[in-house]
Amino acid sequence: QEDASWYGLIDYVVKVKATVKKKVLFKIDLVMEGAFRSDSLGEDEFKEMVEVNGLITLSQISRAYILSVTAQSGINPPIRVPMVNVNKMIETKAKAEGSNKK
C-alpha cells in the first residue's frame, strides 16, 4: 500500500514438457508476471480482484504467447495450453491453506 493506492504483483507459472515415449523433446517454463494498481478498492476487494482477474488475464496471455511462439518456432502442431478453471483453482488453494492451518 502506498498512500491511498494498492499495488499488487502476481506470477502465473506454466510448465510444459513434450515427450515421445520416454524421451523429452522440449520443455517450456514460462513465468508471466502481472502488476496491478487500484485507487478506489479496499484491501480485501483488491486482493480478491488481483487473484481472480489477474490469474484469468495472465492465463489467457500465457496461452496466446505459447501458441504464438511455438508456431513461429516451427513446432507443428503448435502447443495449445488448455484453459484453466480459476475459480476451482482458488477453491483448491483455500482448502489446502485451511488444512495446513489445522
Side-chain angles (χ1 to χ4, degrees):
Q1 180 181 9
E2 185 175 296
D3 298 326
S5 298
W6 290 98
Y7 296 91
L9 291 174
I10 190 167
D11 288 342
Y12 186 79
V13 180
V14 180
K15 294 183 182 250
V16 176
K17 181 168 45 171
T19 59
V20 172
K21 297 183 182 176
K22 293 186 178 184
K23 184 179 178 183
V24 176
L25 293 177
F26 61 87
K27 290 193 263 184
I28 298 172
D29 292 325
L30 173 68
V31 178
M32 190 71 67
E33 183 178 78
F36 301 90
R37 176 183 167 206
S38 174
D39 296 325
S40 59
L41 296 175
E43 180 180 5
D44 292 335
E45 292 172 305
F46 179 70
K47 284 181 180 180
E48 184 179 346
M49 189 77 69
V50 168
E51 187 173 43
V52 175
N53 295 342
L55 282 175
I56 291 169
T57 301
L58 292 177
S59 72
Q60 296 306 315
I61 292 170
S62 298
R63 291 178 71 237
Y65 179 79
I66 290 172
L67 180 69
S68 176
V69 168
T70 56
Q72 292 176 39
S73 299
I75 297 171
N76 193 12
I79 305 301
R80 291 180 177 88
V81 178
M83 293 179 74
V84 175
N85 185 338
V86 172
N87 290 326
K88 187 73 167 175
M89 185 170 51
I90 291 170
E91 287 174 17
T92 303
K93 176 187 167 197
K95 285 180 185 176
E97 288 176 349
S99 66
N100 287 340
K101 289 180 182 179
K102 294 180 180 179

